[in-house]
Amino acid sequence: MEEMEEELKCPVCGSLFREPIILPCSHNICLACARNISVQTPDAESPQSSRASGSGVSDYDYLDLDKMSLYSEADSGYGSYGGFASVPTTPCQKSPSGVRVFPPTAPPPPPQHHLLLHPGSLPPIPRNSCITCPQCHRSLILDDRGLRSFPKNRVLEGVVDRYQQSKAAALRCQLCEKSPKEATVMCEQCDVFYCDPCRLRCHPPRGPLAKHHLVPPAQGRVSRRLSPRKISTCTEHELENHSMYCVQCKIPVCYQCLEEGKHSSHEVKALGAMWKLHKGQLSLALNILSDRAKEAKEFLVQLRNMVQQIQENSVELEACLVAQCDALIDALNRRKAQLLSRVNKEHEHKLKVVRDQISHCTVKLRQTTGLMEYCLEVIKENDPSGFLQISDALIRRVHMTENQWGKATLTPRMTTDFDLTLDSGPLLQTIHQLDFVQIKVPSPVPATPILQLEECCTHNNSATLSWKQPPLSTVQVDGYILELDDGNGGQFREVYVGKETMCTVDGLHFNSTYSSRVKAFNKSGVGQYSKTLVMQTAEIAWFTFDPSSAHPDIIFSNDNLTVTCNSYDDRVVLGKTGFSRGVHYWELSVDRYDNHPDPAFGVARADVLKDVMLGKDDKAWAMYVDNNRSWFMHSNSHTNRTDGGISKGTTVGVLLDLAHGTLTFSVNDEQQGPIAFDSMEGLFFPAISLNRNVQVTLHTGLPIPEFHTARNPEPPSSVC
């Protein structure tokens, strides 16, 4: 159970969770800690606009993230940052667990001794507030309900309660500000543990509080454990209980959500059936992970036995060496010291390698065991909706942890044998030539791989590399390591490790130059790097619409270049390629336009709402247009009405200039209104919204239009 404790600690306060809530990113946080790290933005100003004001640079600014190109979602396939807003400029601090968090904008007022603050109640979150997850740094603007819009993680709360009971630790006061003192009483009505000073200050025995029943802490713990757990209620409709499970949104919902909420058109299934299904999936994943953990334990035993064997072999070799050297003349003694030094170095090297592997595997096994114990405790919970709120995240974590215990991880990196022996046959006059003779010739490291230039190529923002071993090489190869730089002359980073001799790296920057190299390895070590290959990604992007992320009502044709919709409501579809830097231009031709609808064209984050007009939420920047005029829209704010509409045959152009941070639109090769949006930073996907009265076709790989080149005659020397 102790190894599970890290799973039960809040990433902000470093203590066990108290009243945990689930953030949209599936991470958990204490309700009080969520209040502390919420940040208020100026009125009518979103985090994006606050970043655009130039008042400062956020700790998680997109420009800083974008420089580390191989870690961004637009830059590689092995790391990502989500399409979320950067938080307002606020000094950051570190939590006890080492995670950076954002403090409140102003210190809380001093406690008033004459006021009664009911436990668990929090002052209302001010409008235009946002909260940033301290683990993945994803930001979310809170609505009018504030923190109440986040569901409580009752399953985690139950696991924490059982964990605390198993440790039988002394109960602490819940109102002490710094070091909590040992609780002396518990109020059954307030459901709070008090020490004597806090009880006198916050729970005086007068007025309405005089009728409250105070009991000893141990009795209070029992009564709290025996009290019936609250029935899960809907976060959207607080008076309704969860009754179904939305398959599309992957959350429990109530009947009112199905009748009038945003889930009315979604596929739903019975809560109990999905509860059993997800429990079964988690149990199956746990069984696989349990097998991996068992293999890891056996592997650790093997490594520890290797340490003993290395020690014994080392002692044996040293004794043999000393016996032979002592039989030789004094000249041999000087040579003996040199040979012993070599043996000791080999001895220390082997021990260091094995001990490092033991330490690494021990840490990973402890983390795996902690996750297993936590998941087993979660499975014991009988709360279907609470379990389903966290099951997807737990299943992903279990699969990821299981994948970490691959065969390469469970293979010793060092042998126990010392490939050294001493030949005492030479004559005394050749003592100065005395040296070790190896018992067996070790396998050499692999030869340098050869890049097959005829098979190496780039397509859009992807690079494919191919290599092979030299034709005459007979050395065994266990795998290859492919490295790329960041496209800006930075350090090399590993992008692939495995046995394949061809690899495609997706998500690189457009119009960027990447250097790549590869090396081979086996049990004897790592070979030399190949020659460095320089590859240039495409200057302009070729892409199609993305069926996998589109709303189900979207209809695709023409190899996913043409889209329409089977609904009278607006539906959103994104392009397959995301952009985080560079200048990009694409066009959409209107193939059908009936009954004067309002299609919207623009860009969006990956998690934009798909069932409303583009620009209604804060994840999209768009121009919507009818047959007479157009408007720009972001966060449901309409600006810059411009005369001139669309009809059948019209061509709408979208120009995203991330070098200058602007978004501009055109209609029939003429710029439509002023620059629509500025201070554009982060990862953007081409996007449109339309209904059944509109059909459009996408055209990509186009040159930058003249109205942009005229406005920016001297672009930066390197577009990134």
Side-chain angles (χ1 to χ4, degrees), residues 535-652:
M535 308 183 74
Q536 174 76 31
T537 54
E539 295 185 6
I540 54 179
W542 299 82
F543 59 91
T544 64
F545 289 115
D546 184 12
S548 63
S549 64
H551 192 279
D553 292 340
I554 295 293
I555 301 174
F556 294 84
S557 60
N558 188 23
D559 294 329
N560 297 332
L561 290 173
T562 301
V563 293
T564 184
C565 180
N566 60 14
S567 172
Y568 285 107
D569 297 322
D570 289 304
R571 300 295 187 239
V572 172
V573 58
L574 302 180
K576 270 196 171 182
T577 301
F579 306 110
S580 62
R581 62 181 183 178
V583 182
H584 308 281
Y585 177 73
W586 61 93
E587 292 180 346
L588 300 111
S589 58
V590 181
D591 305 329
R592 178 167 50 81
Y593 186 79
D594 304 327
N595 303 323
H596 309 305
D598 300 325
F601 309 84
V603 297
R605 306 290 192 197
D607 55 347
V608 65
L609 294 177
K610 305 297 196 310
D611 52 1
V612 296
M613 178 184 286
L614 195 69
K616 285 284 187 180
D617 63 358
D618 63 342
K619 304 297 175 62
W621 293 257
M623 175 187 74
Y624 72 94
V625 56
D626 59 16
N627 61 319
N628 292 319
R629 61 191 69 82
S630 65
W631 294 262
F632 301 145
M633 184 164 62
H634 171 64
S635 294
N636 205 23
S637 174
H638 311 250
T639 60
N640 296 95
R641 169 178 166 176
T642 303
D643 291 335
I646 62 172
S647 59
K648 180 179 179 180
T650 299
T651 298
V652 177

Side-chain angles (χ1 to χ4, degrees), residues 175-454:
L175 296 184
C176 289
E177 294 183 359
K178 294 184 178 179
S179 300
K181 299 179 182 178
E182 186 172 349
T184 56
V185 296
M186 174 199 172
C187 177
E188 290 187 334
Q189 283 70 34
C190 299
D191 194 24
V192 173
F193 291 95
Y194 298 94
C195 64
D196 287 335
C198 291
R199 176 177 59 82
L200 295 175
R201 184 175 71 251
C202 303
H203 201 289
R206 59 180 179 271
L209 299 180
K211 298 181 180 180
H212 286 197
H213 187 207
L214 302 180
V215 297
Q219 181 180 345
R221 170 188 279 175
V222 174
S223 62
R224 173 184 283 186
R225 184 170 68 251
L226 296 179
S227 60
R229 186 160 294 176
K230 296 179 180 179
I231 299 176
S232 173
T233 58
C234 179
T235 56
E236 297 286 341
H237 312 96
E238 297 180 356
L239 299 180
E240 302 296 336
N241 297 332
H242 288 145
S243 57
M244 299 295 287
Y245 179 79
C246 178
V247 177
Q248 181 174 337
C249 300
K250 297 184 178 181
I251 58 173
V253 295
C254 68
Y255 83 93
Q256 199 167 345
C257 292
L258 303 179
E259 291 185 352
E260 57 188 45
K262 63 180 181 180
H263 306 279
S264 57
S265 59
H266 295 175
E267 179 186 0
V268 295
K269 292 188 177 180
L271 195 65
M274 294 303 294
W275 175 42
K276 293 180 180 178
L277 175 62
H278 281 231
K279 270 201 172 185
Q281 291 175 349
L282 181 57
S283 298
L284 180 61
L286 274 178
N287 289 336
I288 299 175
L289 182 59
S290 177
D291 293 338
R292 291 293 186 182
K294 182 179 179 181
E295 294 176 7
K297 289 180 180 178
E298 296 173 352
F299 179 62
L300 282 175
V301 173
Q302 178 185 353
L303 292 178
R304 293 189 177 99
N305 292 336
M306 288 179 63
V307 172
Q308 180 64 28
Q309 190 64 41
I310 290 174
Q311 295 280 16
E312 294 175 358
N313 290 349
S314 175
V315 171
E316 181 181 352
L317 182 61
E318 288 182 11
C320 180
L321 180 62
V322 171
Q324 293 179 3
C325 289
D326 287 345
L328 300 177
I329 60 176
D330 293 341
L332 185 61
N333 290 328
R334 293 189 294 269
R335 187 65 177 168
K336 178 182 67 175
Q338 299 175 4
L339 299 178
L340 282 173
S341 175
R342 291 180 56 184
V343 172
N344 290 330
K345 288 181 180 178
E346 181 73 4
H347 170 212
E348 294 300 326
H349 171 67
K350 287 179 177 289
L351 290 180
K352 182 179 183 302
V353 171
V354 176
R355 284 170 175 163
D356 288 347
Q357 194 170 9
I358 289 175
S359 176
H360 176 70
C361 289
T362 301
V363 172
K364 290 183 66 176
L365 180 59
R366 184 183 299 112
Q367 294 173 349
T368 300
T369 305
L371 177 58
M372 290 170 55
E373 291 179 355
Y374 171 60
C375 292
L376 290 173
E377 291 299 321
V378 169
I379 291 177
K380 294 178 183 178
E381 291 295 310
N382 294 321
D383 181 356
S385 62
F387 178 85
L388 292 173
Q389 288 174 331
I390 64 174
S391 58
D392 282 312
L394 283 179
I395 292 170
R396 288 195 300 271
R397 289 188 59 193
V398 168
H399 283 304
M400 291 175 60
T401 305
E402 187 272 333
N403 291 334
Q404 292 176 358
W405 289 106
K407 291 185 178 179
T409 307
L410 301 179
T411 302
R413 300 175 184 172
M414 182 60 64
T415 63
T416 61
D417 295 332
F418 282 74
D419 301 328
L420 303 170
T421 189
L422 186 65
D423 183 7
S424 58
L427 299 174
L428 291 178
Q429 61 266 31
T430 60
I431 286 180
H432 66 280
Q433 298 177 349
L434 188 65
D435 201 350
F436 283 109
V437 176
Q438 294 177 337
I439 298 175
K440 54 185 178 181
V441 178
S443 175
V445 298
T448 303
I450 299 175
L451 289 169
Q452 301 190 84
L453 301 182
E454 65 278 6

